[in-house]
Amino acid sequence: MCVTNDRVVAFQGMRGAYSEQACRERLPEYTLLPCRSFEDVFSAVEEGEAAVGMIPVENSMAGVVSDSYDLLAVRNLHIIGEHYLLVRHSLLGLPGADLEGIRAVYSHPQGLAQCQAFLRRYSWTRFSVYDTAGAAADLVERGNPADAAVASELCAGLYGLKVLKRDIQDCRMNTTRFLLMARDETTPPPAVACKTSLLFEVRNIPAALYKCLGGFATNGVNLTRLESRPVPNSPWAYHFYLDFQGRPEQPSVQHALDELKFFTTNLKHLGCYQESRKPEMPEGDPAA
Amino acid sequence: MCVTNDRVVAFQGMRGAYSEQACRERLPEYTLLPCRSFEDVFSAVEEGEAAVGMIPVENSMAGVVSDSYDLLAVRNLHIIGEHYLLVRHSLLGLPGADLEGIRAVYSHPQGLAQCQAFLRRYSWTRFSVYDTAGAAADLVERGNPADAAVASELCAGLYGLKVLKRDIQDCRMNTTRFLLMARDETTPPPAVACKTSLLFEVRNIPAALYKCLGGFATNGVNLTRLESRPVPNSPWAYHFYLDFQGRPEQPSVQHALDELKFFTTNLKHLGCYQESRKPEMPEGDPAA
């Protein structure tokens, strides 16, 4: 591995993206490598351009980021950490714009989904673009005062835009969970609380999912997430993504995994990593 | 209920939408009521403008339609049926357009997601709009031969567009599952195979999800779908949507539901309806 790339973190998006904010919070000493797509983030890490990739997997309001989950299945990076980011959206416009004159709003589909209650008050046309920060940057390029973007307030400063409305997200605890991805697996120090992530398909037997979860229940291993996604090109077959508290070396986890193997196919260990705390509710938040 | 609206079906989208195609396949004798949003479909049925609403809930490739699931939780319609539609996407352009000249592609986010492998071959800018058919209709309005839309071939005829490429979906068995929604619950005839749909939150106890599934496993009730979605304004709390084969009157199902009640809160019965067959693989399909 090239020494110069040891402290580079890849993320999807442009300057001002929420993924950039997550990188800055979690890895403040790292150099940032913006990538156009999630695939490019995975490739940057696989090819050594970056030591770590930071990818969003779930938002507390909008649910899973499907593309990220699907890449965990087909690419071969390991999860080495998780990070929770408190997301606060702003409506941004050109310096001369005002709320009454807006006709169209641009953002990432998740950005639009997280401000549904606010956006429903207006009959603006909604356009989904690949990135919240890209939506902000494009406002300047198009120069139309009837256009607005849902993005971070950080983008207002970066791109010279006006904040038309702050904190437009539906929920004051709008949080996104990110995963840190690397080529090599890590083993967290013995003293820290860990999570482990797995991917599997259930065998075609009666009550298969129930049986898969049995080893965890009877061995007292706490599941924190179970998510199903369609298997590409296998209609109505599902992968399951499972997160649990603990590490594979623990006897209770070993027993649970032994049982799991019996009822699954294509079981893939995605990683074991230190569990992160979810952010606290912000004080003095104006949203109800 | 007003007699004239007895045979009206509401769907989200414009003329040429896949939801319209589902309505025509399943309820060919019904009058079509196009609605702008899923909320409007629910409202049309609640207010008696339509007898039935047809809403997509899951695609075999792109996964769940989150907005539909979220409305099942907060609105009070009943599921009275399901329908599977085989989805075949085309790339449409203006009459003078050709594939080489395309620079931007417009579609519903699910439409773009279902053609990822095809779209990755090009560096087109992707724009998500509220509707595949709307994306097609807008091509005519903008009149830019560098724009294309991912939509049904039906739209080409309706809007006077050219088919630039047929069958661009990633998977030849690209199927969307629709639910038929009505104000009043129905009871399917005794002879037909049924599904039942539920919504619940798990109690905050160890191994809660495992315990919720236990009654189904031990009573031989077959689960066909388990889907989790965030509870609005309750960060990191989840609803579970559960479909199973059977009907609430069956003793085995009653036992399973009795157990389920013990481990859940906010258990909501969404409906019991005849199980539909998934479509067969189309013959002579060109896709690999």
Side-chain angles (χ1 to χ4, degrees), chain A residues 239-262:
Chain A
H239 290 300
F240 287 90
Y241 291 86
L242 186 72
D243 293 342
F244 62 83
Q245 289 173 319
R247 55 177 88 216
E249 310 87 87
Q250 291 169 248
S252 59
V253 173
Q254 276 178 5
H255 295 145
L257 294 179
D258 282 346
E259 271 193 61
L260 182 66
K261 277 172 204 153
F262 193 75

mmCIF file of all heavy atoms in Angstrom, chain A residues 239-262:
data_model
loop_
_atom_site.group_PDB
_atom_site.id
_atom_site.type_symbol
_atom_site.label_atom_id
_atom_site.label_comp_id
_atom_site.label_asym_id
_atom_site.label_seq_id
_atom_site.Cartn_x
_atom_site.Cartn_y
_atom_site.Cartn_z
ATOM 1 N N HIS A 239 -31.470 -11.422 0.128
ATOM 2 C CA HIS A 239 -30.344 -11.385 1.061
ATOM 3 C C HIS A 239 -30.838 -10.834 2.388
ATOM 4 O O HIS A 239 -31.695 -9.938 2.388
ATOM 5 C CB HIS A 239 -29.310 -10.323 0.657
ATOM 6 C CG HIS A 239 -28.521 -10.565 -0.548
ATOM 7 N ND1 HIS A 239 -27.690 -11.638 -0.713
ATOM 8 C CD2 HIS A 239 -28.381 -9.803 -1.649
ATOM 9 C CE1 HIS A 239 -27.076 -11.531 -1.865
ATOM 10 N NE2 HIS A 239 -27.480 -10.431 -2.462
ATOM 11 N N PHE A 240 -30.240 -11.252 3.469
ATOM 12 C CA PHE A 240 -30.469 -10.588 4.751
ATOM 13 C C PHE A 240 -29.151 -10.011 5.261
ATOM 14 O O PHE A 240 -28.115 -10.689 5.237
ATOM 15 C CB PHE A 240 -31.048 -11.564 5.783
ATOM 16 C CG PHE A 240 -32.480 -11.908 5.503
ATOM 17 C CD1 PHE A 240 -32.803 -12.998 4.701
ATOM 18 C CD2 PHE A 240 -33.510 -11.131 6.014
ATOM 19 C CE1 PHE A 240 -34.128 -13.306 4.414
ATOM 20 C CE2 PHE A 240 -34.836 -11.428 5.731
ATOM 21 C CZ PHE A 240 -35.144 -12.520 4.929
ATOM 22 N N TYR A 241 -29.207 -8.758 5.711
ATOM 23 C CA TYR A 241 -28.087 -8.099 6.373
ATOM 24 C C TYR A 241 -28.394 -8.100 7.847
ATOM 25 O O TYR A 241 -29.467 -7.644 8.257
ATOM 26 C CB TYR A 241 -27.943 -6.654 5.890
ATOM 27 C CG TYR A 241 -27.498 -6.571 4.472
ATOM 28 C CD1 TYR A 241 -28.421 -6.624 3.445
ATOM 29 C CD2 TYR A 241 -26.153 -6.479 4.150
ATOM 30 C CE1 TYR A 241 -28.029 -6.589 2.118
ATOM 31 C CE2 TYR A 241 -25.746 -6.439 2.835
ATOM 32 C CZ TYR A 241 -26.692 -6.487 1.827
ATOM 33 O OH TYR A 241 -26.294 -6.456 0.526
ATOM 34 N N LEU A 242 -27.465 -8.595 8.635
ATOM 35 C CA LEU A 242 -27.701 -8.737 10.059
ATOM 36 C C LEU A 242 -26.559 -8.071 10.823
ATOM 37 O O LEU A 242 -25.391 -8.329 10.539
ATOM 38 C CB LEU A 242 -27.758 -10.228 10.403
ATOM 39 C CG LEU A 242 -28.141 -10.597 11.817
ATOM 40 C CD1 LEU A 242 -29.625 -10.333 12.037
ATOM 41 C CD2 LEU A 242 -27.856 -12.081 12.048
ATOM 42 N N ASP A 243 -26.894 -7.197 11.754
ATOM 43 C CA ASP A 243 -25.908 -6.619 12.677
ATOM 44 C C ASP A 243 -26.228 -7.130 14.073
ATOM 45 O O ASP A 243 -27.392 -7.146 14.475
ATOM 46 C CB ASP A 243 -26.010 -5.087 12.724
ATOM 47 C CG ASP A 243 -25.620 -4.416 11.422
ATOM 48 O OD1 ASP A 243 -24.955 -5.052 10.589
ATOM 49 O OD2 ASP A 243 -26.005 -3.240 11.248
ATOM 50 N N PHE A 244 -25.202 -7.517 14.822
ATOM 51 C CA PHE A 244 -25.438 -7.897 16.217
ATOM 52 C C PHE A 244 -24.326 -7.364 17.105
ATOM 53 O O PHE A 244 -23.240 -7.023 16.627
ATOM 54 C CB PHE A 244 -25.594 -9.420 16.371
ATOM 55 C CG PHE A 244 -24.391 -10.227 15.971
ATOM 56 C CD1 PHE A 244 -23.326 -10.432 16.854
ATOM 57 C CD2 PHE A 244 -24.321 -10.807 14.708
ATOM 58 C CE1 PHE A 244 -22.222 -11.187 16.482
ATOM 59 C CE2 PHE A 244 -23.204 -11.558 14.325
ATOM 60 C CZ PHE A 244 -22.154 -11.747 15.218
ATOM 61 N N GLN A 245 -24.627 -7.260 18.388
ATOM 62 C CA GLN A 245 -23.636 -6.802 19.359
ATOM 63 C C GLN A 245 -22.792 -7.997 19.787
ATOM 64 O O GLN A 245 -23.333 -9.013 20.238
ATOM 65 C CB GLN A 245 -24.330 -6.180 20.573
ATOM 66 C CG GLN A 245 -24.957 -4.830 20.224
ATOM 67 C CD GLN A 245 -25.792 -4.256 21.335
ATOM 68 O OE1 GLN A 245 -26.535 -4.986 21.992
ATOM 69 N NE2 GLN A 245 -25.707 -2.955 21.549
ATOM 70 N N GLY A 246 -21.486 -7.860 19.638
ATOM 71 C CA GLY A 246 -20.587 -8.941 20.020
ATOM 72 C C GLY A 246 -19.547 -9.173 18.947
ATOM 73 O O GLY A 246 -19.561 -8.503 17.910
ATOM 74 N N ARG A 247 -18.648 -10.122 19.224
ATOM 75 C CA ARG A 247 -17.580 -10.423 18.270
ATOM 76 C C ARG A 247 -17.484 -11.937 18.080
ATOM 77 O O ARG A 247 -17.823 -12.703 18.984
ATOM 78 C CB ARG A 247 -16.268 -9.829 18.746
ATOM 79 C CG ARG A 247 -15.862 -10.237 20.140
ATOM 80 C CD ARG A 247 -14.500 -9.667 20.504
ATOM 81 N NE ARG A 247 -14.557 -8.331 21.086
ATOM 82 C CZ ARG A 247 -13.640 -7.386 20.867
ATOM 83 N NH1 ARG A 247 -12.612 -7.613 20.088
ATOM 84 N NH2 ARG A 247 -13.741 -6.211 21.444
ATOM 85 N N PRO A 248 -17.030 -12.351 16.880
ATOM 86 C CA PRO A 248 -17.062 -13.785 16.548
ATOM 87 C C PRO A 248 -16.298 -14.677 17.522
ATOM 88 O O PRO A 248 -16.618 -15.863 17.627
ATOM 89 C CB PRO A 248 -16.430 -13.838 15.153
ATOM 90 C CG PRO A 248 -16.673 -12.488 14.574
ATOM 91 C CD PRO A 248 -16.602 -11.532 15.736
ATOM 92 N N GLU A 249 -15.292 -14.134 18.251
ATOM 93 C CA GLU A 249 -14.527 -14.985 19.170
ATOM 94 C C GLU A 249 -15.320 -15.390 20.403
ATOM 95 O O GLU A 249 -14.955 -16.357 21.077
ATOM 96 C CB GLU A 249 -13.243 -14.281 19.666
ATOM 97 C CG GLU A 249 -12.375 -13.669 18.607
ATOM 98 C CD GLU A 249 -12.793 -12.246 18.276
ATOM 99 O OE1 GLU A 249 -12.331 -11.306 18.942
ATOM 100 O OE2 GLU A 249 -13.613 -12.101 17.336
ATOM 101 N N GLN A 250 -16.351 -14.638 20.771
ATOM 102 C CA GLN A 250 -17.108 -14.964 21.980
ATOM 103 C C GLN A 250 -17.818 -16.304 21.812
ATOM 104 O O GLN A 250 -18.449 -16.534 20.772
ATOM 105 C CB GLN A 250 -18.160 -13.887 22.243
ATOM 106 C CG GLN A 250 -17.600 -12.551 22.662
ATOM 107 C CD GLN A 250 -18.691 -11.487 22.639
ATOM 108 O OE1 GLN A 250 -18.654 -10.572 21.820
ATOM 109 N NE2 GLN A 250 -19.663 -11.624 23.530
ATOM 110 N N PRO A 251 -17.778 -17.162 22.848
ATOM 111 C CA PRO A 251 -18.441 -18.475 22.720
ATOM 112 C C PRO A 251 -19.920 -18.367 22.372
ATOM 113 O O PRO A 251 -20.426 -19.130 21.527
ATOM 114 C CB PRO A 251 -18.240 -19.109 24.103
ATOM 115 C CG PRO A 251 -17.034 -18.427 24.662
ATOM 116 C CD PRO A 251 -17.055 -17.028 24.119
ATOM 117 N N SER A 252 -20.639 -17.413 22.968
ATOM 118 C CA SER A 252 -22.075 -17.288 22.673
ATOM 119 C C SER A 252 -22.293 -16.966 21.194
ATOM 120 O O SER A 252 -23.209 -17.506 20.551
ATOM 121 C CB SER A 252 -22.700 -16.192 23.551
ATOM 122 O OG SER A 252 -22.045 -14.953 23.318
ATOM 123 N N VAL A 253 -21.452 -16.100 20.653
ATOM 124 C CA VAL A 253 -21.567 -15.740 19.235
ATOM 125 C C VAL A 253 -21.200 -16.937 18.362
ATOM 126 O O VAL A 253 -21.862 -17.210 17.347
ATOM 127 C CB VAL A 253 -20.693 -14.506 18.917
ATOM 128 C CG1 VAL A 253 -20.665 -14.243 17.420
ATOM 129 C CG2 VAL A 253 -21.196 -13.282 19.674
ATOM 130 N N GLN A 254 -20.169 -17.664 18.765
ATOM 131 C CA GLN A 254 -19.773 -18.855 17.988
ATOM 132 C C GLN A 254 -20.932 -19.859 17.887
ATOM 133 O O GLN A 254 -21.200 -20.400 16.821
ATOM 134 C CB GLN A 254 -18.555 -19.530 18.618
ATOM 135 C CG GLN A 254 -17.254 -18.888 18.165
ATOM 136 C CD GLN A 254 -16.028 -19.502 18.818
ATOM 137 O OE1 GLN A 254 -16.135 -20.482 19.558
ATOM 138 N NE2 GLN A 254 -14.885 -18.912 18.567
ATOM 139 N N HIS A 255 -21.615 -20.064 19.013
ATOM 140 C CA HIS A 255 -22.755 -20.982 18.987
ATOM 141 C C HIS A 255 -23.863 -20.468 18.065
ATOM 142 O O HIS A 255 -24.463 -21.235 17.307
ATOM 143 C CB HIS A 255 -23.317 -21.188 20.407
ATOM 144 C CG HIS A 255 -22.347 -21.868 21.325
ATOM 145 N ND1 HIS A 255 -22.250 -21.575 22.670
ATOM 146 C CD2 HIS A 255 -21.410 -22.815 21.096
ATOM 147 C CE1 HIS A 255 -21.307 -22.320 23.216
ATOM 148 N NE2 HIS A 255 -20.785 -23.080 22.276
ATOM 149 N N ALA A 256 -24.116 -19.164 18.144
ATOM 150 C CA ALA A 256 -25.153 -18.573 17.292
ATOM 151 C C ALA A 256 -24.785 -18.719 15.816
ATOM 152 O O ALA A 256 -25.635 -19.069 14.977
ATOM 153 C CB ALA A 256 -25.355 -17.104 17.645
ATOM 154 N N LEU A 257 -23.504 -18.484 15.498
ATOM 155 C CA LEU A 257 -23.072 -18.554 14.092
ATOM 156 C C LEU A 257 -23.077 -19.992 13.582
ATOM 157 O O LEU A 257 -23.393 -20.240 12.415
ATOM 158 C CB LEU A 257 -21.683 -17.926 13.934
ATOM 159 C CG LEU A 257 -21.617 -16.419 14.193
ATOM 160 C CD1 LEU A 257 -20.182 -15.905 14.031
ATOM 161 C CD2 LEU A 257 -22.547 -15.660 13.253
ATOM 162 N N ASP A 258 -22.736 -20.948 14.466
ATOM 163 C CA ASP A 258 -22.804 -22.363 14.058
ATOM 164 C C ASP A 258 -24.226 -22.732 13.647
ATOM 165 O O ASP A 258 -24.438 -23.390 12.628
ATOM 166 C CB ASP A 258 -22.353 -23.270 15.218
ATOM 167 C CG ASP A 258 -20.840 -23.296 15.350
ATOM 168 O OD1 ASP A 258 -20.145 -22.844 14.418
ATOM 169 O OD2 ASP A 258 -20.350 -23.759 16.405
ATOM 170 N N GLU A 259 -25.199 -22.284 14.438
ATOM 171 C CA GLU A 259 -26.596 -22.561 14.085
ATOM 172 C C GLU A 259 -26.981 -21.855 12.793
ATOM 173 O O GLU A 259 -27.664 -22.417 11.943
ATOM 174 C CB GLU A 259 -27.541 -22.093 15.208
ATOM 175 C CG GLU A 259 -27.787 -23.145 16.256
ATOM 176 C CD GLU A 259 -28.954 -22.781 17.179
ATOM 177 O OE1 GLU A 259 -30.099 -22.626 16.702
ATOM 178 O OE2 GLU A 259 -28.679 -22.671 18.372
ATOM 179 N N LEU A 260 -26.550 -20.595 12.682
ATOM 180 C CA LEU A 260 -26.898 -19.806 11.499
ATOM 181 C C LEU A 260 -26.422 -20.493 10.217
ATOM 182 O O LEU A 260 -27.159 -20.566 9.225
ATOM 183 C CB LEU A 260 -26.282 -18.405 11.614
ATOM 184 C CG LEU A 260 -26.594 -17.448 10.470
ATOM 185 C CD1 LEU A 260 -28.074 -17.097 10.438
ATOM 186 C CD2 LEU A 260 -25.754 -16.172 10.574
ATOM 187 N N LYS A 261 -25.187 -21.001 10.252
ATOM 188 C CA LYS A 261 -24.606 -21.651 9.062
ATOM 189 C C LYS A 261 -25.484 -22.787 8.565
ATOM 190 O O LYS A 261 -25.588 -23.042 7.367
ATOM 191 C CB LYS A 261 -23.205 -22.202 9.393
ATOM 192 C CG LYS A 261 -22.108 -21.164 9.292
ATOM 193 C CD LYS A 261 -20.781 -21.706 9.808
ATOM 194 C CE LYS A 261 -19.891 -20.549 10.255
ATOM 195 N NZ LYS A 261 -18.929 -20.938 11.281
ATOM 196 N N PHE A 262 -26.103 -23.478 9.513
ATOM 197 C CA PHE A 262 -26.901 -24.649 9.178
ATOM 198 C C PHE A 262 -28.132 -24.275 8.342
ATOM 199 O O PHE A 262 -28.619 -25.085 7.557
ATOM 200 C CB PHE A 262 -27.330 -25.332 10.485
ATOM 201 C CG PHE A 262 -27.890 -26.699 10.283
ATOM 202 C CD1 PHE A 262 -27.051 -27.770 10.000
ATOM 203 C CD2 PHE A 262 -29.250 -26.927 10.360
ATOM 204 C CE1 PHE A 262 -27.564 -29.036 9.806
ATOM 205 C CE2 PHE A 262 -29.774 -28.196 10.164
ATOM 206 C CZ PHE A 262 -28.923 -29.253 9.886
#
